[in-house]
Amino acid sequence: MTSDLLAPLDLAFWNIESDRHPMHLGALGVFAAHSPTAGAHAADLLAARAAAVPGLRMRIRDVWQPLAPLAFGSAAREPAPDFEPLDHVLLHAPTTDFHAEAGRLMERPLERGRPPWEAHVLPGEDGVSFAVLFKFHHALADGLRALMLAAAIMDPMDLPEPRPRPAEQPRGLFPDVRKLPGLVRGTLSDMGRALDIGTSVARATLGVQSSPALTSEPTGTRRTAGVVIDLDDVHVVRKTVGGTVNDVLIAVVAGALRRWLDERGDGSEGVSPRALIPVSRRRPRTAQPQGNRLSGYLIRLPVDDPDPLGRLRAVRTAMDRNKDAGPNRGAGAVALLADHVPPLGHRLGGPVVGQAARLLFDILVTSVPLPSLGLKLGGCPLTEVYPFAPLARGQALAVAVSTYRGKVHYGLVADAEAVPDLDLLARSLTEEVRALITACTP
C-alpha cells in the first residue's frame, strides 16, 4: 500500500472537525444472538478480519511540503505502521439500551493519529441480541464507502465482483497538447459551475424560515434514536401519489418535524427549513477511489403545510427540480466547491467553513443504501441498522435513513442538550407514516 493525498472534500472534512463537532459517520447494527457469548465472539471476529482490509489500516497524516505547492497544507492517507485491530474493536459491558450507549460513543472524536474508525460491540443484557456501532471519519469514507468497509469485516457473502476501472496513464510533466482544447473547455466549465453554485448558495440564504429548535450552540453532547417502518407502507403511498421512495421518506421527515415542533410548543407556522440531501457520485458495484464522492440537493421542507399529501407533493416538486438541474449545480452542490480551494485554504479556513454550514442548511437528511442480501456476523443475522450522520456546527439534528430487507430504518442524531425529547421526534415519524397511509386510503 502507498500513500495518497486526500481529495479536496476529504481534506475539508478533516479540517472542519473540532472536539464538539466530530466529523464521523456512524451505523448501529443490531444482531440476533445465538448465545450469550455471541457479542464477545463477534468482537474477536471483527478484530481478526480488520487486519486483512487495506482501507481499515490507513491513517491520515498532515503533509507540509514547501517544495510541492499542490500538497502544501494538505494531508495524506497512508498505511499505519503500528496498526493494531484490538485498539479499534472494543467490547463493552452488557446494556439494556443500545441507543443510549451509541449516543455517548458518538460524542467522542476518533483519535487522529490512528486509522480513523472504530467498532464498538454492545452485548445485550437479555442475551438474545447484541449491537455493533461502527464509526468512520468522513475524511476516510462517505456513506457508501463506509458501508463497503463495514461489509468487508462481516461474514463473507457471494457478491458480484466490481468492474475494474480503466488504468490511468501516467501523467507527464506537461499536458498532452492534443488534449489542450478539451482541458481549456473543462476549466471554463468548472469555473462556470463554481460561479453558478456560489450564486445559488447566496440565494439560499435569503428568506430563511427555520426554527430555533433546529439550531443550537455547540455542547458536544449526542443523543441517538431509531425508528423502523415497513417499506410496503412507503410503497402504498408512492403508488398512490407518485414520485419516488426517497420523496416519501423526505416528506415523512417534514411531517414529523411539524408534529414535533407543535407538540413541544415551538410551533410550525411559517416554518420551512432548508434540508441538504447528499447525493452520491459513487457507482455501486464499481471499484472507486477512497474517500468522498458527494454532491447534494437543497430543498425547503414544507413543515408549515398542514396537509400530509400537500407536503409530499411539495417535496416531490422540489426534488424533481433538483434532479432536472443535476447534482453538479445549485446550492446543494456546495461540496463541489471544495475542488476549487487549495489545500492550505482548507487548513486555514476549516473553522470558518464549519461555522458557515448553518448559513446554508438547517438539517441534513441523507440516505445510505444497503444490500438486499441478509448480513451476518459470526452467524448472527443483522436485524436492524440505523445510520448516523455527523452534526454540523450550530445544528441540533441530523437524519439518516437506510432500507434493509423490507424495512426502512431512520437514524436520528441530535445535540443531547438542545434536543432532550428526541424520542418524541422518533414517535412523530411513525405517526406521520400512519397519517400518509390514512390520507391515501379512500
Side-chain angles (χ1 to χ4, degrees), residues 228-295:
V228 182
I229 63 176
D230 284 329
L231 184 58
D232 286 345
D233 289 341
V234 176
H235 282 303
V236 167
V237 177
R238 179 189 62 80
K239 291 176 181 178
T240 302
V241 182
T244 68
V245 167
N246 203 39
D247 293 341
V248 178
L249 298 180
I250 296 171
V252 167
V253 173
L257 288 174
R258 177 184 176 84
R259 295 170 183 277
W260 176 63
L261 290 173
D262 287 343
E263 190 162 344
R264 75 195 320 245
D266 291 322
S268 59
E269 184 177 355
V271 175
S272 58
R274 299 157 301 172
L276 180 63
I277 316 293
V279 177
S280 177
R281 298 164 61 222
R282 190 185 301 276
R283 298 180 188 175
R285 298 184 180 179
T286 302
Q288 291 280 357
Q290 302 181 70
N292 290 268
R293 306 280 293 176
L294 290 173
S295 182

Side-chain angles (χ1 to χ4, degrees), residues 186-206:
T187 300
L188 292 175
S189 175
D190 287 346
M191 292 173 60
R193 182 177 64 184
L195 180 61
D196 177 80
I197 294 172
T199 303
S200 298
V201 168
R203 287 199 301 263
T205 62
L206 302 175

Side-chain angles (χ1 to χ4, degrees), residues 139-364:
L140 179 69
D142 54 24
L144 189 53
R145 173 71 179 172
L147 169 64
M148 294 165 62
L149 290 172
I153 49 178
M154 305 286 279
D155 290 357
M157 295 188 299
D158 294 327
L159 295 177
E161 291 293 326
R163 295 189 298 271
R165 297 177 44 159
E168 293 186 1
Q169 296 299 318
R171 298 180 182 177
L173 185 60
F174 300 102
D176 187 336
V177 295
R178 294 170 297 181
K179 298 181 180 180
L180 283 177
L183 292 174
V184 171
R185 286 195 300 271
T187 300
L188 292 175
S189 175
D190 287 346
M191 292 173 60
R193 182 177 64 184
L195 180 61
D196 177 80
I197 294 172
T199 303
S200 298
V201 168
R203 287 199 301 263
T205 62
L206 302 175
V208 176
Q209 298 172 290
S210 187
S211 168
L214 298 177
T215 61
S216 71
E217 291 302 316
T219 70
T221 59
R222 294 291 181 269
R223 183 187 306 273
T224 75
V227 176
V228 182
I229 63 176
D230 284 329
L231 184 58
D232 286 345
D233 289 341
V234 176
H235 282 303
V236 167
V237 177
R238 179 189 62 80
K239 291 176 181 178
T240 302
V241 182
T244 68
V245 167
N246 203 39
D247 293 341
V248 178
L249 298 180
I250 296 171
V252 167
V253 173
L257 288 174
R258 177 184 176 84
R259 295 170 183 277
W260 176 63
L261 290 173
D262 287 343
E263 190 162 344
R264 75 195 320 245
D266 291 322
S268 59
E269 184 177 355
V271 175
S272 58
R274 299 157 301 172
L276 180 63
I277 316 293
V279 177
S280 177
R281 298 164 61 222
R282 190 185 301 276
R283 298 180 188 175
R285 298 184 180 179
T286 302
Q288 291 280 357
Q290 302 181 70
N292 290 268
R293 306 280 293 176
L294 290 173
S295 182
Y297 298 143
L298 191 70
I299 71 170
R300 294 291 182 102
L301 293 180
V303 172
D304 54 347
D305 190 333
D307 177 21
L309 296 184
R311 292 192 290 268
L312 176 52
R313 284 190 291 268
V315 167
R316 180 184 176 187
T317 299
M319 289 296 289
D320 286 346
R321 187 183 305 118
N322 275 284
K323 292 171 187 175
D324 288 342
N328 295 329
R329 293 193 178 274
V334 66
L336 301 182
L337 293 181
D339 294 339
H340 300 273
V341 179
L344 189 58
H346 283 294
R347 181 176 296 276
L348 298 179
V352 176
V353 173
Q355 294 286 357
R358 68 192 301 174
L359 300 177
L360 175 64
F361 64 96
D362 305 297
I363 184 173
L364 181 75

Side-chain angles (χ1 to χ4, degrees), residues 30-86:
V30 180
F31 297 82
H34 49 57
S35 74
T37 61
H41 179 56
D44 292 339
L45 284 176
L46 291 174
R49 293 170 179 173
V53 180
L56 297 179
R57 303 204 299 271
M58 304 298 282
R59 69 177 181 180
I60 296 175
R61 179 178 61 84
D62 291 336
V63 174
W64 296 91
Q65 297 180 10
L67 298 180
L70 293 179
F72 189 73
S74 185
R77 197 181 289 108
E78 66 177 15
D82 54 351
F83 174 63
E84 175 50 67
L86 291 177

Side-chain angles (χ1 to χ4, degrees), residues 362-388:
D362 305 297
I363 184 173
L364 181 75
V365 183
T366 184
S367 177
V368 182
L370 288 176
S372 57
L373 299 175
L375 297 172
K376 294 182 179 181
L377 180 57
C380 299
L382 176 67
T383 59
E384 303 168 40
V385 56
Y386 304 97
F388 300 135

